[in-house]
Amino acid sequence: MIDAIMNRDSWKCLSVLQDGHQRTIRRVTWSPCGTYLASASFDATTCIWKKKSDDFELVTTLEGHENEVKCVTWAPSGNLLATCSRDKSVWIWEVDEEDEYECVTVINSHTQDVKDVVWHPTKEILASASYDNNVCVYKEEDDDWECKATLEGHTSTVWSLAFDPSGQRIASCSDDRTVKIWKCQDLEGRGDMSWKCVCTLSGYHDRTIYDVACVRVFKEDPESVDPEAPVFSLVAHVSKAHTQDVNCVAWNPKEAGLLVSCSDNGEIALWRYQEEEQA
């Protein structure tokens, strides 16, 4: 069961960050320590904001991408930042104790616009999704970042990715209206990684799936016989959750069952998911 949380009076705008970007802001993300915000924009820049008392100040602007920056994300350590762009590249930035950011590598493994980048929850392993229908997975070896696996299977643009908490699996969603679950056979080994698609969820959406975490909630069957072929079932669905396209959804990392979604209608909605008790 999933219900909307409608008490808007309990939320107050604490700060509005302006003067950093000249065009649409596509993504904003917190640093693991909670002190910094990074924002990615169609003006081809990424802004880094630092919390000072009750406000935020712009500490640096990362430049270098030729076109729109589609996503920005911090590594779990907080020492690395990844950005991706319409220019088909993924950049990895290193930050030092003086808040100085340096691009340590530019990766060109995709042939089209890169839509999303996401870090492994505990390791410095990065995955990216692209308009070329593929997912790429990167890892540093001998001081150089390399593409260790290309996950092929979607038939149209891959919009979003999510690692599971263990980091052993990736969920990807696509313009082909499917969600695929990929499992890694060996994260620790050197050389190329071996990823396998172990499950495809299809027939649930009538249009493009833009983000994976969903306003449809799927649950893995704990009694799945084969771990290489897990079974997922639809356990919750909110029809017309927004009046226009839903662009992004995210689970609260601390409070189980709390979900947030945002839409083209300009609204942000909070949802509470609770498993129904078995009779």
Side-chain angles (χ1 to χ4, degrees), residues 2-275:
I2 187 165
D3 297 311
I5 301 173
M6 301 301 292
N7 185 8
R8 300 182 183 184
D9 294 337
S10 62
W11 292 87
K12 181 175 69 173
C13 180
L14 298 179
S15 183
V16 178
L17 313 186
Q18 297 177 320
D19 304 324
H21 293 291
Q22 305 304 314
R23 292 183 62 193
T24 299
I25 300 172
R26 178 63 178 264
R27 186 68 64 92
V28 62
T29 182
W30 291 99
S31 65
C33 67
T35 302
Y36 299 88
L37 278 171
S39 55
S41 171
F42 279 12
D43 64 11
T45 70
T46 300
C47 288
I48 307 298
W49 311 80
K50 185 175 183 180
K51 186 176 182 181
K52 291 287 185 72
S53 299
D54 293 329
D55 205 353
F56 287 81
E57 71 172 16
L58 179 62
V59 294
T60 191
T61 300
L62 309 183
E63 300 178 336
H65 281 292
E66 297 176 4
N67 300 105
E68 297 101 317
V69 182
K70 296 298 183 70
C71 184
V72 58
T73 181
W74 255 288
S77 65
N79 296 324
L80 295 173
L81 195 71
T83 58
C84 67
S85 169
R86 187 181 176 186
D87 64 15
K88 310 174 188 177
S89 69
V90 173
W91 291 43
I92 297 178
W93 309 77
E94 190 173 56
V95 57
D96 62 23
E97 295 179 355
E98 303 299 323
D99 288 342
E100 295 290 334
Y101 289 77
E102 178 187 4
C103 178
V104 294
T105 191
V106 176
I107 310 170
N108 294 286
S109 295
H110 289 290
T111 60
Q112 298 291 336
D113 181 357
V114 187
K115 300 293 188 182
D116 193 26
V117 280
V118 60
W119 289 98
H120 184 282
T122 58
K123 303 179 185 297
E124 291 185 348
I125 294 173
L126 183 70
S128 61
S130 172
Y131 187 73
D132 65 12
N133 308 347
N134 295 333
V135 175
C136 289
V137 184
Y138 313 94
K139 187 177 180 181
E140 186 180 25
E141 252 185 42
D142 301 324
D143 296 323
D144 192 20
W145 284 84
E146 300 176 358
C147 179
K148 294 298 182 181
T150 300
L151 315 186
E152 300 176 333
H154 284 292
T155 58
S156 192
T157 304
V158 185
W159 281 97
S160 182
L161 303 169
F163 277 97
D164 76 351
S166 73
Q168 294 290 329
R169 297 187 295 186
I170 293 175
S172 59
C173 65
S174 169
D175 188 55
D176 65 15
R177 297 174 295 184
T178 70
V179 174
K180 290 184 179 292
I181 311 295
W182 310 81
K183 185 176 180 181
C184 186
Q185 309 302 315
D186 183 14
L187 279 175
E188 303 295 340
R190 294 180 67 85
D192 291 347
M193 298 178 186
S194 176
W195 289 82
K196 176 184 177 183
C197 180
V198 294
C199 181
T200 299
L201 304 177
S202 62
Y204 296 99
H205 291 276
D206 297 325
R207 297 179 61 191
T208 299
I209 307 173
Y210 286 112
D211 201 11
V212 58
C214 8
V215 183
R216 280 182 171 89
V217 179
F218 297 88
K219 182 180 179 181
E220 183 177 3
D221 184 350
E223 297 181 0
S224 295
V225 176
D226 185 357
E228 298 300 317
V231 176
F232 287 79
S233 59
L234 181 66
V235 294
H237 169 216
V238 181
S239 85
K240 299 182 179 178
H242 290 276
T243 58
Q244 297 183 41
D245 285 353
V246 180
N247 292 311
C248 187
V249 285
W251 292 103
N252 186 303
K254 300 294 185 181
E255 187 174 345
L258 185 60
L259 182 72
V260 63
S261 62
C262 63
S263 167
D264 277 354
N265 66 4
E267 292 184 350
I268 296 171
L270 294 169
W271 308 88
R272 177 82 63 188
Y273 170 70
Q274 185 174 355
E275 289 191 54

